[in-house]
């Protein structure tokens, strides 16, 4: 075989002439190319306009320079005709009601104390989940520790641990009554 500067015909035609590969036909342009890589553009007719004026605004569109983190949060979760948090609140409350009617909880179960989640609570819940991505701890319960060097009092100030866990238990984004049952055509395992 030739060195790396040899052309493709050297690679294809080198070796034993009686091999099984001898009857493989090469494309017409393969013999003309200096290596297996070929140019996508025609070098003789292609022109790149490097003096083009770039007038587009770069960066994210629709964001003001003075946006607060909450403004960015709202920008991603709200549209003109839909509010994702409203949908999550509705579906979480619907799912909690469905579970409460089908389950038979014990007398002291936390689910007996469920109250429908509100819009403000869901925003706070999502904020705590985002904060958990920044402050790493070993368990959900450890975010509500009341003493020690790893105490994070802001979590307790926003929501109780039991309420957070109750919302997490029933957190839902879709309506189970309209979902296709498992084993049926069109079933989507991500529907929750």
């Amino acid at each position: 075989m030739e060195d790396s500067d040899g052309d493709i015909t050297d690679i294809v035609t080198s070796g034993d002439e009686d091999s099984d590969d001898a009857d493989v036909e090469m494309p017409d342009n393969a013999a003309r190319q200096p290596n297996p890589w070929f140019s996508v553009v025609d070098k003789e007719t292609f022109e790149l306009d490097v003096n083009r004026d770039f007038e587009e605004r770069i960066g994210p569109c629709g964001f003001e320079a003075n946006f607060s983190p909450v403004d960015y949060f709202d920008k991603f979760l709200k549209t003109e005709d839909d509010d994702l948090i409203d949908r999550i609140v509705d579906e979480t409350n619907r799912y909690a009601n469905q579970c409460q009617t089908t389950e038979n909880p014990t007398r002291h179960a936390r689910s007996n104390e469920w109250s429908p989640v509100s819009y403000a609570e869901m925003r706070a819940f999502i904020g705590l989940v985002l904060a958990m991505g920044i402050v790493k701890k070993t368990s959900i319960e450890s975010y509500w520790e009341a003493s020690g060097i790893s105490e994070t009092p802001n979590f307790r100030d926003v929501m109780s641990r039991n309420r957070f866990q109750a919302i997490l238990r029933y957190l839902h984004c879709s309506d189970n009554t309209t979902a296709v049952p498992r084993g049926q055509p069109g079933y989507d395992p991500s529907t929750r």
Side-chain angles (χ1 to χ4, degrees), residues 83-117:
D83 187 343
L84 187 59
I85 294 178
D86 273 336
R87 181 173 298 180
I88 294 171
V89 166
D90 292 343
E91 296 307 330
T92 298
N93 288 331
R94 182 189 331 259
Y95 182 64
N97 289 335
Q98 289 170 353
C99 289
Q100 299 228 330
T101 58
T102 59
E103 295 174 352
N104 192 8
T106 61
R107 195 171 72 158
H108 300 290
R110 283 189 198 169
S111 60
N112 290 336
E113 299 173 16
W114 171 260
S115 61
V117 66

PDB file of all heavy atoms in Angstrom, residues 83-117:
ATOM      1  N   ASP A  83     -50.394  28.189  30.045  1.00  0.00           N
ATOM      2  CA  ASP A  83     -49.495  28.320  31.188  1.00  0.00           C
ATOM      3  C   ASP A  83     -49.203  26.921  31.691  1.00  0.00           C
ATOM      4  O   ASP A  83     -50.100  26.225  32.166  1.00  0.00           O
ATOM      5  CB  ASP A  83     -50.152  29.181  32.273  1.00  0.00           C
ATOM      6  CG  ASP A  83     -49.210  29.514  33.418  1.00  0.00           C
ATOM      7  OD1 ASP A  83     -48.164  28.838  33.558  1.00  0.00           O
ATOM      8  OD2 ASP A  83     -49.513  30.447  34.176  1.00  0.00           O
ATOM      9  N   LEU A  84     -47.982  26.495  31.552  1.00  0.00           N
ATOM     10  CA  LEU A  84     -47.598  25.136  31.926  1.00  0.00           C
ATOM     11  C   LEU A  84     -47.850  24.852  33.401  1.00  0.00           C
ATOM     12  O   LEU A  84     -48.279  23.761  33.763  1.00  0.00           O
ATOM     13  CB  LEU A  84     -46.122  24.895  31.577  1.00  0.00           C
ATOM     14  CG  LEU A  84     -45.592  23.495  31.754  1.00  0.00           C
ATOM     15  CD1 LEU A  84     -46.377  22.505  30.900  1.00  0.00           C
ATOM     16  CD2 LEU A  84     -44.119  23.433  31.400  1.00  0.00           C
ATOM     17  N   ILE A  85     -47.621  25.830  34.251  1.00  0.00           N
ATOM     18  CA  ILE A  85     -47.842  25.615  35.686  1.00  0.00           C
ATOM     19  C   ILE A  85     -49.321  25.375  35.969  1.00  0.00           C
ATOM     20  O   ILE A  85     -49.669  24.510  36.775  1.00  0.00           O
ATOM     21  CB  ILE A  85     -47.273  26.778  36.516  1.00  0.00           C
ATOM     22  CG1 ILE A  85     -45.747  26.805  36.372  1.00  0.00           C
ATOM     23  CG2 ILE A  85     -47.666  26.648  37.983  1.00  0.00           C
ATOM     24  CD1 ILE A  85     -45.062  27.925  37.091  1.00  0.00           C
ATOM     25  N   ASP A  86     -50.207  26.121  35.303  1.00  0.00           N
ATOM     26  CA  ASP A  86     -51.654  25.867  35.471  1.00  0.00           C
ATOM     27  C   ASP A  86     -51.994  24.428  35.109  1.00  0.00           C
ATOM     28  O   ASP A  86     -52.765  23.762  35.802  1.00  0.00           O
ATOM     29  CB  ASP A  86     -52.479  26.799  34.580  1.00  0.00           C
ATOM     30  CG  ASP A  86     -52.784  28.133  35.244  1.00  0.00           C
ATOM     31  OD1 ASP A  86     -52.785  28.187  36.484  1.00  0.00           O
ATOM     32  OD2 ASP A  86     -53.011  29.107  34.502  1.00  0.00           O
ATOM     33  N   ARG A  87     -51.426  23.943  34.013  1.00  0.00           N
ATOM     34  CA  ARG A  87     -51.694  22.569  33.583  1.00  0.00           C
ATOM     35  C   ARG A  87     -51.178  21.561  34.616  1.00  0.00           C
ATOM     36  O   ARG A  87     -51.869  20.603  34.942  1.00  0.00           O
ATOM     37  CB  ARG A  87     -51.046  22.301  32.226  1.00  0.00           C
ATOM     38  CG  ARG A  87     -51.333  20.892  31.733  1.00  0.00           C
ATOM     39  CD  ARG A  87     -50.850  20.683  30.346  1.00  0.00           C
ATOM     40  NE  ARG A  87     -51.564  21.618  29.469  1.00  0.00           N
ATOM     41  CZ  ARG A  87     -51.365  21.697  28.178  1.00  0.00           C
ATOM     42  NH1 ARG A  87     -50.501  20.923  27.592  1.00  0.00           N
ATOM     43  NH2 ARG A  87     -52.048  22.550  27.448  1.00  0.00           N
ATOM     44  N   ILE A  88     -49.983  21.797  35.135  1.00  0.00           N
ATOM     45  CA  ILE A  88     -49.415  20.874  36.135  1.00  0.00           C
ATOM     46  C   ILE A  88     -50.256  20.899  37.405  1.00  0.00           C
ATOM     47  O   ILE A  88     -50.510  19.853  38.012  1.00  0.00           O
ATOM     48  CB  ILE A  88     -47.939  21.220  36.427  1.00  0.00           C
ATOM     49  CG1 ILE A  88     -47.081  20.980  35.179  1.00  0.00           C
ATOM     50  CG2 ILE A  88     -47.404  20.389  37.593  1.00  0.00           C
ATOM     51  CD1 ILE A  88     -45.650  21.488  35.302  1.00  0.00           C
ATOM     52  N   VAL A  89     -50.710  22.085  37.813  1.00  0.00           N
ATOM     53  CA  VAL A  89     -51.580  22.195  38.999  1.00  0.00           C
ATOM     54  C   VAL A  89     -52.867  21.394  38.782  1.00  0.00           C
ATOM     55  O   VAL A  89     -53.258  20.591  39.638  1.00  0.00           O
ATOM     56  CB  VAL A  89     -51.894  23.683  39.312  1.00  0.00           C
ATOM     57  CG1 VAL A  89     -53.050  23.811  40.305  1.00  0.00           C
ATOM     58  CG2 VAL A  89     -50.669  24.390  39.848  1.00  0.00           C
ATOM     59  N   ASP A  90     -53.517  21.589  37.637  1.00  0.00           N
ATOM     60  CA  ASP A  90     -54.770  20.881  37.352  1.00  0.00           C
ATOM     61  C   ASP A  90     -54.573  19.364  37.343  1.00  0.00           C
ATOM     62  O   ASP A  90     -55.353  18.629  37.957  1.00  0.00           O
ATOM     63  CB  ASP A  90     -55.345  21.319  36.006  1.00  0.00           C
ATOM     64  CG  ASP A  90     -55.831  22.757  36.015  1.00  0.00           C
ATOM     65  OD1 ASP A  90     -56.033  23.312  37.114  1.00  0.00           O
ATOM     66  OD2 ASP A  90     -55.994  23.331  34.907  1.00  0.00           O
ATOM     67  N   GLU A  91     -53.532  18.908  36.653  1.00  0.00           N
ATOM     68  CA  GLU A  91     -53.316  17.462  36.533  1.00  0.00           C
ATOM     69  C   GLU A  91     -52.841  16.842  37.842  1.00  0.00           C
ATOM     70  O   GLU A  91     -53.179  15.702  38.154  1.00  0.00           O
ATOM     71  CB  GLU A  91     -52.336  17.153  35.399  1.00  0.00           C
ATOM     72  CG  GLU A  91     -52.848  17.560  34.028  1.00  0.00           C
ATOM     73  CD  GLU A  91     -54.226  16.994  33.692  1.00  0.00           C
ATOM     74  OE1 GLU A  91     -54.580  15.900  34.170  1.00  0.00           O
ATOM     75  OE2 GLU A  91     -54.954  17.655  32.930  1.00  0.00           O
ATOM     76  N   THR A  92     -52.057  17.569  38.618  1.00  0.00           N
ATOM     77  CA  THR A  92     -51.627  17.058  39.931  1.00  0.00           C
ATOM     78  C   THR A  92     -52.828  16.904  40.854  1.00  0.00           C
ATOM     79  O   THR A  92     -52.974  15.873  41.529  1.00  0.00           O
ATOM     80  CB  THR A  92     -50.575  17.998  40.548  1.00  0.00           C
ATOM     81  OG1 THR A  92     -49.427  18.031  39.698  1.00  0.00           O
ATOM     82  CG2 THR A  92     -50.161  17.541  41.939  1.00  0.00           C
ATOM     83  N   ASN A  93     -53.701  17.896  40.881  1.00  0.00           N
ATOM     84  CA  ASN A  93     -54.900  17.809  41.721  1.00  0.00           C
ATOM     85  C   ASN A  93     -55.841  16.709  41.227  1.00  0.00           C
ATOM     86  O   ASN A  93     -56.416  15.964  42.031  1.00  0.00           O
ATOM     87  CB  ASN A  93     -55.619  19.155  41.767  1.00  0.00           C
ATOM     88  CG  ASN A  93     -54.863  20.175  42.588  1.00  0.00           C
ATOM     89  OD1 ASN A  93     -54.146  19.832  43.527  1.00  0.00           O
ATOM     90  ND2 ASN A  93     -54.990  21.436  42.218  1.00  0.00           N
ATOM     91  N   ARG A  94     -55.986  16.566  39.914  1.00  0.00           N
ATOM     92  CA  ARG A  94     -56.829  15.505  39.366  1.00  0.00           C
ATOM     93  C   ARG A  94     -56.276  14.130  39.760  1.00  0.00           C
ATOM     94  O   ARG A  94     -57.015  13.251  40.192  1.00  0.00           O
ATOM     95  CB  ARG A  94     -56.913  15.621  37.845  1.00  0.00           C
ATOM     96  CG  ARG A  94     -57.822  14.574  37.200  1.00  0.00           C
ATOM     97  CD  ARG A  94     -57.745  14.546  35.681  1.00  0.00           C
ATOM     98  NE  ARG A  94     -57.409  15.799  35.047  1.00  0.00           N
ATOM     99  CZ  ARG A  94     -58.289  16.622  34.473  1.00  0.00           C
ATOM    100  NH1 ARG A  94     -59.567  16.312  34.458  1.00  0.00           N
ATOM    101  NH2 ARG A  94     -57.891  17.737  33.898  1.00  0.00           N
ATOM    102  N   TYR A  95     -54.948  13.956  39.611  1.00  0.00           N
ATOM    103  CA  TYR A  95     -54.323  12.672  39.939  1.00  0.00           C
ATOM    104  C   TYR A  95     -54.432  12.373  41.433  1.00  0.00           C
ATOM    105  O   TYR A  95     -54.697  11.231  41.827  1.00  0.00           O
ATOM    106  CB  TYR A  95     -52.862  12.672  39.498  1.00  0.00           C
ATOM    107  CG  TYR A  95     -52.149  11.381  39.753  1.00  0.00           C
ATOM    108  CD1 TYR A  95     -52.532  10.209  39.107  1.00  0.00           C
ATOM    109  CD2 TYR A  95     -51.095  11.311  40.650  1.00  0.00           C
ATOM    110  CE1 TYR A  95     -51.881   9.017  39.345  1.00  0.00           C
ATOM    111  CE2 TYR A  95     -50.435  10.128  40.893  1.00  0.00           C
ATOM    112  CZ  TYR A  95     -50.833   8.977  40.240  1.00  0.00           C
ATOM    113  OH  TYR A  95     -50.187   7.794  40.485  1.00  0.00           O
ATOM    114  N   ALA A  96     -54.273  13.390  42.272  1.00  0.00           N
ATOM    115  CA  ALA A  96     -54.426  13.187  43.725  1.00  0.00           C
ATOM    116  C   ALA A  96     -55.841  12.720  44.050  1.00  0.00           C
ATOM    117  O   ALA A  96     -56.032  11.794  44.849  1.00  0.00           O
ATOM    118  CB  ALA A  96     -54.094  14.474  44.469  1.00  0.00           C
ATOM    119  N   ASN A  97     -56.848  13.329  43.410  1.00  0.00           N
ATOM    120  CA  ASN A  97     -58.237  12.905  43.636  1.00  0.00           C
ATOM    121  C   ASN A  97     -58.468  11.480  43.158  1.00  0.00           C
ATOM    122  O   ASN A  97     -59.160  10.693  43.821  1.00  0.00           O
ATOM    123  CB  ASN A  97     -59.211  13.861  42.945  1.00  0.00           C
ATOM    124  CG  ASN A  97     -59.284  15.202  43.629  1.00  0.00           C
ATOM    125  OD1 ASN A  97     -59.004  15.315  44.820  1.00  0.00           O
ATOM    126  ND2 ASN A  97     -59.643  16.230  42.880  1.00  0.00           N
ATOM    127  N   GLN A  98     -57.898  11.133  41.992  1.00  0.00           N
ATOM    128  CA  GLN A  98     -58.035   9.765  41.478  1.00  0.00           C
ATOM    129  C   GLN A  98     -57.415   8.769  42.449  1.00  0.00           C
ATOM    130  O   GLN A  98     -58.006   7.712  42.727  1.00  0.00           O
ATOM    131  CB  GLN A  98     -57.363   9.647  40.107  1.00  0.00           C
ATOM    132  CG  GLN A  98     -58.083  10.354  39.001  1.00  0.00           C
ATOM    133  CD  GLN A  98     -57.255  10.405  37.715  1.00  0.00           C
ATOM    134  OE1 GLN A  98     -56.089  10.021  37.681  1.00  0.00           O
ATOM    135  NE2 GLN A  98     -57.876  10.902  36.649  1.00  0.00           N
ATOM    136  N   CYS A  99     -56.240   9.085  42.958  1.00  0.00           N
ATOM    137  CA  CYS A  99     -55.558   8.172  43.891  1.00  0.00           C
ATOM    138  C   CYS A  99     -56.328   8.051  45.190  1.00  0.00           C
ATOM    139  O   CYS A  99     -56.437   6.961  45.751  1.00  0.00           O
ATOM    140  CB  CYS A  99     -54.136   8.655  44.165  1.00  0.00           C
ATOM    141  SG  CYS A  99     -53.019   8.446  42.770  1.00  0.00           S
ATOM    142  N   GLN A 100     -56.847   9.155  45.668  1.00  0.00           N
ATOM    143  CA  GLN A 100     -57.568   9.126  46.947  1.00  0.00           C
ATOM    144  C   GLN A 100     -58.856   8.316  46.858  1.00  0.00           C
ATOM    145  O   GLN A 100     -59.272   7.717  47.842  1.00  0.00           O
ATOM    146  CB  GLN A 100     -57.859  10.551  47.393  1.00  0.00           C
ATOM    147  CG  GLN A 100     -56.590  11.328  47.597  1.00  0.00           C
ATOM    148  CD  GLN A 100     -56.556  12.072  48.885  1.00  0.00           C
ATOM    149  OE1 GLN A 100     -57.574  12.487  49.395  1.00  0.00           O
ATOM    150  NE2 GLN A 100     -55.365  12.233  49.413  1.00  0.00           N
ATOM    151  N   THR A 101     -59.484   8.287  45.696  1.00  0.00           N
ATOM    152  CA  THR A 101     -60.713   7.511  45.561  1.00  0.00           C
ATOM    153  C   THR A 101     -60.439   6.027  45.342  1.00  0.00           C
ATOM    154  O   THR A 101     -61.302   5.206  45.645  1.00  0.00           O
ATOM    155  CB  THR A 101     -61.578   8.034  44.397  1.00  0.00           C
ATOM    156  OG1 THR A 101     -60.830   7.988  43.199  1.00  0.00           O
ATOM    157  CG2 THR A 101     -62.064   9.444  44.662  1.00  0.00           C
ATOM    158  N   THR A 102     -59.260   5.691  44.812  1.00  0.00           N
ATOM    159  CA  THR A 102     -58.961   4.278  44.559  1.00  0.00           C
ATOM    160  C   THR A 102     -58.137   3.635  45.668  1.00  0.00           C
ATOM    161  O   THR A 102     -58.199   2.430  45.846  1.00  0.00           O
ATOM    162  CB  THR A 102     -58.202   4.103  43.226  1.00  0.00           C
ATOM    163  OG1 THR A 102     -56.995   4.836  43.273  1.00  0.00           O
ATOM    164  CG2 THR A 102     -59.055   4.557  42.061  1.00  0.00           C
ATOM    165  N   GLU A 103     -57.372   4.424  46.408  1.00  0.00           N
ATOM    166  CA  GLU A 103     -56.562   3.870  47.491  1.00  0.00           C
ATOM    167  C   GLU A 103     -57.408   3.751  48.750  1.00  0.00           C
ATOM    168  O   GLU A 103     -58.407   4.430  48.914  1.00  0.00           O
ATOM    169  CB  GLU A 103     -55.360   4.783  47.782  1.00  0.00           C
ATOM    170  CG  GLU A 103     -54.376   4.876  46.643  1.00  0.00           C
ATOM    171  CD  GLU A 103     -53.273   5.902  46.934  1.00  0.00           C
ATOM    172  OE1 GLU A 103     -53.356   6.625  47.935  1.00  0.00           O
ATOM    173  OE2 GLU A 103     -52.346   5.961  46.121  1.00  0.00           O
ATOM    174  N   ASN A 104     -56.948   2.916  49.632  1.00  0.00           N
ATOM    175  CA  ASN A 104     -57.582   2.793  50.933  1.00  0.00           C
ATOM    176  C   ASN A 104     -56.508   3.067  51.983  1.00  0.00           C
ATOM    177  O   ASN A 104     -55.956   2.139  52.570  1.00  0.00           O
ATOM    178  CB  ASN A 104     -58.190   1.397  51.099  1.00  0.00           C
ATOM    179  CG  ASN A 104     -59.102   1.332  52.300  1.00  0.00           C
ATOM    180  OD1 ASN A 104     -59.400   2.349  52.919  1.00  0.00           O
ATOM    181  ND2 ASN A 104     -59.527   0.121  52.636  1.00  0.00           N
ATOM    182  N   PRO A 105     -56.183   4.351  52.221  1.00  0.00           N
ATOM    183  CA  PRO A 105     -55.078   4.665  53.123  1.00  0.00           C
ATOM    184  C   PRO A 105     -55.416   4.352  54.576  1.00  0.00           C
ATOM    185  O   PRO A 105     -56.583   4.329  54.971  1.00  0.00           O
ATOM    186  CB  PRO A 105     -54.872   6.160  52.923  1.00  0.00           C
ATOM    187  CG  PRO A 105     -56.189   6.668  52.451  1.00  0.00           C
ATOM    188  CD  PRO A 105     -56.820   5.540  51.693  1.00  0.00           C
ATOM    189  N   THR A 106     -54.361   4.121  55.335  1.00  0.00           N
ATOM    190  CA  THR A 106     -54.545   3.901  56.768  1.00  0.00           C
ATOM    191  C   THR A 106     -54.981   5.211  57.414  1.00  0.00           C
ATOM    192  O   THR A 106     -54.901   6.281  56.812  1.00  0.00           O
ATOM    193  CB  THR A 106     -53.239   3.405  57.421  1.00  0.00           C
ATOM    194  OG1 THR A 106     -52.232   4.403  57.252  1.00  0.00           O
ATOM    195  CG2 THR A 106     -52.799   2.093  56.801  1.00  0.00           C
ATOM    196  N   ARG A 107     -55.395   5.119  58.662  1.00  0.00           N
ATOM    197  CA  ARG A 107     -55.946   6.267  59.356  1.00  0.00           C
ATOM    198  C   ARG A 107     -54.937   7.412  59.503  1.00  0.00           C
ATOM    199  O   ARG A 107     -55.290   8.580  59.464  1.00  0.00           O
ATOM    200  CB  ARG A 107     -56.424   5.828  60.734  1.00  0.00           C
ATOM    201  CG  ARG A 107     -57.321   6.814  61.410  1.00  0.00           C
ATOM    202  CD  ARG A 107     -57.895   6.228  62.625  1.00  0.00           C
ATOM    203  NE  ARG A 107     -56.820   6.126  63.629  1.00  0.00           N
ATOM    204  CZ  ARG A 107     -57.036   6.038  64.918  1.00  0.00           C
ATOM    205  NH1 ARG A 107     -58.253   5.963  65.376  1.00  0.00           N
ATOM    206  NH2 ARG A 107     -56.036   5.967  65.765  1.00  0.00           N
ATOM    207  N   HIS A 108     -53.658   7.071  59.632  1.00  0.00           N
ATOM    208  CA  HIS A 108     -52.637   8.084  59.871  1.00  0.00           C
ATOM    209  C   HIS A 108     -51.793   8.380  58.632  1.00  0.00           C
ATOM    210  O   HIS A 108     -50.745   9.005  58.730  1.00  0.00           O
ATOM    211  CB  HIS A 108     -51.719   7.657  61.018  1.00  0.00           C
ATOM    212  CG  HIS A 108     -52.457   7.466  62.301  1.00  0.00           C
ATOM    213  ND1 HIS A 108     -52.985   8.525  63.007  1.00  0.00           N
ATOM    214  CD2 HIS A 108     -52.777   6.344  62.991  1.00  0.00           C
ATOM    215  CE1 HIS A 108     -53.592   8.065  64.081  1.00  0.00           C
ATOM    216  NE2 HIS A 108     -53.484   6.739  64.100  1.00  0.00           N
ATOM    217  N   ALA A 109     -52.238   7.973  57.468  1.00  0.00           N
ATOM    218  CA  ALA A 109     -51.470   8.194  56.239  1.00  0.00           C
ATOM    219  C   ALA A 109     -51.438   9.682  55.895  1.00  0.00           C
ATOM    220  O   ALA A 109     -52.402  10.413  56.121  1.00  0.00           O
ATOM    221  CB  ALA A 109     -52.086   7.414  55.089  1.00  0.00           C
ATOM    222  N   ARG A 110     -50.297  10.110  55.348  1.00  0.00           N
ATOM    223  CA  ARG A 110     -50.156  11.511  54.942  1.00  0.00           C
ATOM    224  C   ARG A 110     -51.147  11.886  53.836  1.00  0.00           C
ATOM    225  O   ARG A 110     -51.538  13.038  53.721  1.00  0.00           O
ATOM    226  CB  ARG A 110     -48.740  11.781  54.425  1.00  0.00           C
ATOM    227  CG  ARG A 110     -47.725  11.904  55.502  1.00  0.00           C
ATOM    228  CD  ARG A 110     -46.428  12.383  54.889  1.00  0.00           C
ATOM    229  NE  ARG A 110     -45.331  12.125  55.789  1.00  0.00           N
ATOM    230  CZ  ARG A 110     -44.064  12.243  55.449  1.00  0.00           C
ATOM    231  NH1 ARG A 110     -43.741  12.599  54.222  1.00  0.00           N
ATOM    232  NH2 ARG A 110     -43.124  12.006  56.319  1.00  0.00           N
ATOM    233  N   SER A 111     -51.529  10.922  53.042  1.00  0.00           N
ATOM    234  CA  SER A 111     -52.456  11.234  51.945  1.00  0.00           C
ATOM    235  C   SER A 111     -53.817  11.698  52.466  1.00  0.00           C
ATOM    236  O   SER A 111     -54.562  12.370  51.745  1.00  0.00           O
ATOM    237  CB  SER A 111     -52.608  10.037  51.014  1.00  0.00           C
ATOM    238  OG  SER A 111     -53.122   8.924  51.713  1.00  0.00           O
ATOM    239  N   ASN A 112     -54.145  11.366  53.696  1.00  0.00           N
ATOM    240  CA  ASN A 112     -55.413  11.833  54.278  1.00  0.00           C
ATOM    241  C   ASN A 112     -55.410  13.347  54.482  1.00  0.00           C
ATOM    242  O   ASN A 112     -56.464  13.965  54.567  1.00  0.00           O
ATOM    243  CB  ASN A 112     -55.678  11.153  55.616  1.00  0.00           C
ATOM    244  CG  ASN A 112     -56.001   9.688  55.453  1.00  0.00           C
ATOM    245  OD1 ASN A 112     -56.452   9.266  54.394  1.00  0.00           O
ATOM    246  ND2 ASN A 112     -55.744   8.900  56.485  1.00  0.00           N
ATOM    247  N   GLU A 113     -54.227  13.933  54.586  1.00  0.00           N
ATOM    248  CA  GLU A 113     -54.109  15.367  54.834  1.00  0.00           C
ATOM    249  C   GLU A 113     -53.923  16.162  53.547  1.00  0.00           C
ATOM    250  O   GLU A 113     -53.616  17.353  53.592  1.00  0.00           O
ATOM    251  CB  GLU A 113     -52.947  15.633  55.787  1.00  0.00           C
ATOM    252  CG  GLU A 113     -53.124  14.965  57.134  1.00  0.00           C
ATOM    253  CD  GLU A 113     -51.878  15.096  58.000  1.00  0.00           C
ATOM    254  OE1 GLU A 113     -51.007  15.931  57.693  1.00  0.00           O
ATOM    255  OE2 GLU A 113     -51.779  14.355  58.976  1.00  0.00           O
ATOM    256  N   TRP A 114     -54.084  15.522  52.403  1.00  0.00           N
ATOM    257  CA  TRP A 114     -53.876  16.212  51.137  1.00  0.00           C
ATOM    258  C   TRP A 114     -54.872  17.338  50.960  1.00  0.00           C
ATOM    259  O   TRP A 114     -56.066  17.189  51.205  1.00  0.00           O
ATOM    260  CB  TRP A 114     -54.000  15.239  49.960  1.00  0.00           C
ATOM    261  CG  TRP A 114     -54.011  15.933  48.628  1.00  0.00           C
ATOM    262  CD1 TRP A 114     -55.107  16.221  47.867  1.00  0.00           C
ATOM    263  CD2 TRP A 114     -52.889  16.453  47.932  1.00  0.00           C
ATOM    264  NE1 TRP A 114     -54.728  16.879  46.713  1.00  0.00           N
ATOM    265  CE2 TRP A 114     -53.363  17.034  46.735  1.00  0.00           C
ATOM    266  CE3 TRP A 114     -51.520  16.482  48.184  1.00  0.00           C
ATOM    267  CZ2 TRP A 114     -52.525  17.637  45.805  1.00  0.00           C
ATOM    268  CZ3 TRP A 114     -50.686  17.075  47.254  1.00  0.00           C
ATOM    269  CH2 TRP A 114     -51.192  17.640  46.090  1.00  0.00           C
ATOM    270  N   SER A 115     -54.346  18.487  50.538  1.00  0.00           N
ATOM    271  CA  SER A 115     -55.205  19.583  50.105  1.00  0.00           C
ATOM    272  C   SER A 115     -54.730  19.983  48.712  1.00  0.00           C
ATOM    273  O   SER A 115     -53.541  19.870  48.408  1.00  0.00           O
ATOM    274  CB  SER A 115     -55.116  20.769  51.075  1.00  0.00           C
ATOM    275  OG  SER A 115     -53.794  21.261  51.123  1.00  0.00           O
ATOM    276  N   PRO A 116     -55.644  20.407  47.859  1.00  0.00           N
ATOM    277  CA  PRO A 116     -55.250  20.718  46.483  1.00  0.00           C
ATOM    278  C   PRO A 116     -54.103  21.728  46.435  1.00  0.00           C
ATOM    279  O   PRO A 116     -54.062  22.684  47.206  1.00  0.00           O
ATOM    280  CB  PRO A 116     -56.516  21.299  45.869  1.00  0.00           C
ATOM    281  CG  PRO A 116     -57.622  20.728  46.688  1.00  0.00           C
ATOM    282  CD  PRO A 116     -57.070  20.605  48.080  1.00  0.00           C
ATOM    283  N   VAL A 117     -53.193  21.482  45.519  1.00  0.00           N
ATOM    284  CA  VAL A 117     -52.042  22.372  45.364  1.00  0.00           C
ATOM    285  C   VAL A 117     -52.486  23.627  44.610  1.00  0.00           C
ATOM    286  O   VAL A 117     -53.348  23.562  43.732  1.00  0.00           O
ATOM    287  CB  VAL A 117     -50.875  21.655  44.644  1.00  0.00           C
ATOM    288  CG1 VAL A 117     -51.217  21.305  43.218  1.00  0.00           C
ATOM    289  CG2 VAL A 117     -49.595  22.454  44.683  1.00  0.00           C
TER     290      VAL A 117
END
